[in-house]
């Protein structure tokens, strides 16, 4: 009996190892579980990269479905995906906001000036296209860390209520857009339009009701 148990234990362990490796072989590294999915954006108050006097908070991303794109000029893949993101903006009116951080910028020691960062960004956007409504400057990378960012590019699909609905690791190309990111984005846009239309209908009815009440009072 003991011999049977001793033989069975290695077999069970080997079987578990095979299952684990098999799952890893066919899993998509861009489909990792995200700690922020279905949660509201973490709190932040960050400047506009090109207009530092302008400050953004999560409230500024509400009211419209947004793709928050984490990127930097140091990121080769970001340059590769930028023309397609620009195409999405120009042809499908996709709302993309950049969350920018610079690997070579140390705010405490000033290894690179803000004007230098702005110049590099301007040059890259001029070369590959500008898909962004604006760029939020994640100076200390705190917001990127709060979002669970591990590199760039990464993308967060955020609904009109400011809730993160998808965290996509890697670039967005035509295949990724058509099979993964695009369907969710378009679904959220349709839902937002429906909700906003219903809200507008309620407001119109309320105004008409108030007008009728006022007219009744005048008779």
């Amino acid at each position: 009996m003991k011999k049977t148990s001793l033989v069975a234990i290695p077999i069970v362990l080997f079987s578990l190892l095979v299952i684990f490796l098999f799952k890893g072989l066919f899993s998509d590294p861009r489909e990792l579980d995200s700690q922020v999915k279905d949660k509201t954006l973490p709190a932040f108050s960050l400047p506009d990269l090109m207009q530092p006097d302008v400050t953004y908070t999560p409230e500024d991303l509400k009211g419209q479905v947004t793709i928050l794109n984490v990127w930097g000029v140091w990121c080769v893949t970001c340059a590769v995906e930028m023309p397609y993101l620009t195409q999405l903006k120009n042809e499908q009116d996709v709302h993309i906001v950049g969350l920018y951080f610079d690997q070579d910028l140390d705010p405490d020691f000033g290894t690179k000036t803000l004007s230098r960062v702005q110049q590099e960004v301007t040059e890259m956007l001029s070369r590959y296209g500008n898909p962004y409504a604006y760029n939020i400057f994640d100076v200390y990378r705190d917001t990127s860390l709060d979002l669970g960012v591990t590199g760039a590019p990464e993308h967060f699909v955020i609904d009109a209520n400011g809730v993160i609905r998808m965290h996509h690791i890697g670039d967005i190309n035509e295949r990724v857009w058509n099979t993964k990111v695009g369907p969710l984005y378009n679904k959220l846009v349709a839902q937002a339009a429906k909700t906003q239309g219903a809200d507008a209908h309620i407001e119109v009815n309320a105004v008409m009701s108030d007008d009728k009440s006022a007219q009744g009072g005048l008779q």
Side-chain angles (χ1 to χ4, degrees), residues 212-219:
K212 288 181 180 178
S213 298
Q215 291 174 4
L218 292 176
Q219 292 177 354

Side-chain angles (χ1 to χ4, degrees), residues 1 7 22 30 46 53 73 76 92 106 121 162 180:
M1 186 69 178
V7 172
F22 184 81
R30 293 174 297 185
L46 294 171
D53 292 337
V73 296
V76 176
Q92 300 186 38
D106 189 323
V121 168
K180 180 182 177 183

Side-chain angles (χ1 to χ4, degrees), residues 32 68-72 74-78 81 99-103 138 141 143-145 147-156 167-171:
L32 299 176
L68 186 66
N69 173 212
V70 181
W71 75 287
W74 45 268
C75 167
V76 176
T77 308
C78 297
E81 75 166 351
L99 183 66
Y100 185 89
F101 71 86
D102 201 297
Q103 286 187 330
D138 191 7
R141 309 176 200 171
T143 301
S144 296
L145 290 173
L147 288 168
V149 170
T150 57
E154 295 192 19
H155 307 80
F156 297 85
H167 178 187
H168 172 70
I169 299 173
D171 66 310

Side-chain angles (χ1 to χ4, degrees), residues 64-65 67 84-96 172-174 177-178 181-183 185-186 189:
Q64 185 173 3
V65 181
I67 295 178
Y84 185 70
L85 293 182
T86 303
Q87 181 180 333
L88 291 176
K89 173 190 176 183
N90 294 337
E91 296 181 3
Q92 300 186 38
D93 200 27
V94 176
H95 187 239
I96 304 172
I172 291 180
N173 51 47
E174 186 174 5
W177 177 258
N178 290 333
V181 180
Y185 178 87
N186 291 326
V189 169

